[in-house]
Amino acid sequence: MRVLLIYPNITDYPIDISYGLAAISALLKKSGHTVQLFDCTFTSNWKELGRIVHTFRPQITGIPVASNDFHFAVQIASFIKERQSIPVVAGGFHVTMAPEDIMQHPCFDIAVIGEGEHSFLEITESIEKDPSGEGLKDIAGI
């Protein structure tokens, strides 16, 4: 599957990377999936994100959500949903602490609680096999 991972970082200092997204990306690639990363640390250009969505045509999107960038993550997920009808998966600190915050926004389809590397891979492979989502109920952490 084509997977778009988006890091909605709104802080410009310290500049960091998402180790969670790096681990998810590595597992997905190792399992034969194609991964594109859009890192808002370096750009939050909506036109560029739109171009990536249009040309890459992701089949699923993953967004880690921290409390400080929660509202920006909602904006990003909504932007994706306006352009493609694909599952948007939220994970990260805020999701683990307050999953109800995430699921009250229709732009998110799935919330992963706790460590999400293997759960995201299972979600991706489950949706690839059965787009109806029936197999999702057996995945730990969602």
Side-chain angles (χ1 to χ4, degrees), residues 4 44 51 67 71 73 76 92 96 99 117:
L4 177 60
S44 56
R51 186 194 65 73
S67 297
H71 295 290
I76 292 169
T96 297
E117 292 84 0

Side-chain angles (χ1 to χ4, degrees), residues 4-113:
L4 177 60
L5 301 176
I6 302 173
Y7 185 37
N9 184 32
I10 60 170
T11 61
D12 55 2
Y13 185 82
I15 293 178
D16 63 353
I17 62 168
S18 172
Y19 291 106
L21 279 186
I24 290 169
S25 177
L27 280 172
L28 289 166
K29 288 176 181 178
K30 186 176 181 181
S31 297
H33 301 283
T34 304
V35 180
Q36 172 86 38
L37 174 65
F38 186 78
D39 188 342
C40 296
T41 301
F42 304 104
T43 182
S44 56
N45 182 319
W46 294 106
K47 186 175 179 179
E48 176 65 12
L49 180 56
R51 186 194 65 73
I52 289 169
V53 169
H54 178 74
T55 58
F56 183 62
R57 297 180 341 272
Q59 296 166 288
I60 187 170
T61 297
I63 304 173
V65 183
S67 297
N68 65 318
D69 55 32
F70 171 74
H71 295 290
F72 188 44
V74 170
Q75 288 179 313
I76 292 169
S78 297
F79 183 86
I80 297 296
K81 284 292 195 180
E82 290 168 4
R83 281 148 183 82
Q84 286 198 305
S85 179
I86 60 172
V88 175
V89 181
F93 301 115
H94 193 85
V95 178
T96 297
M97 295 182 344
E100 65 281 355
D101 285 356
I102 296 298
M103 296 317 297
Q104 68 181 329
H105 293 276
C107 56
F108 293 109
D109 300 296
I110 301 167
V112 176
I113 299 168

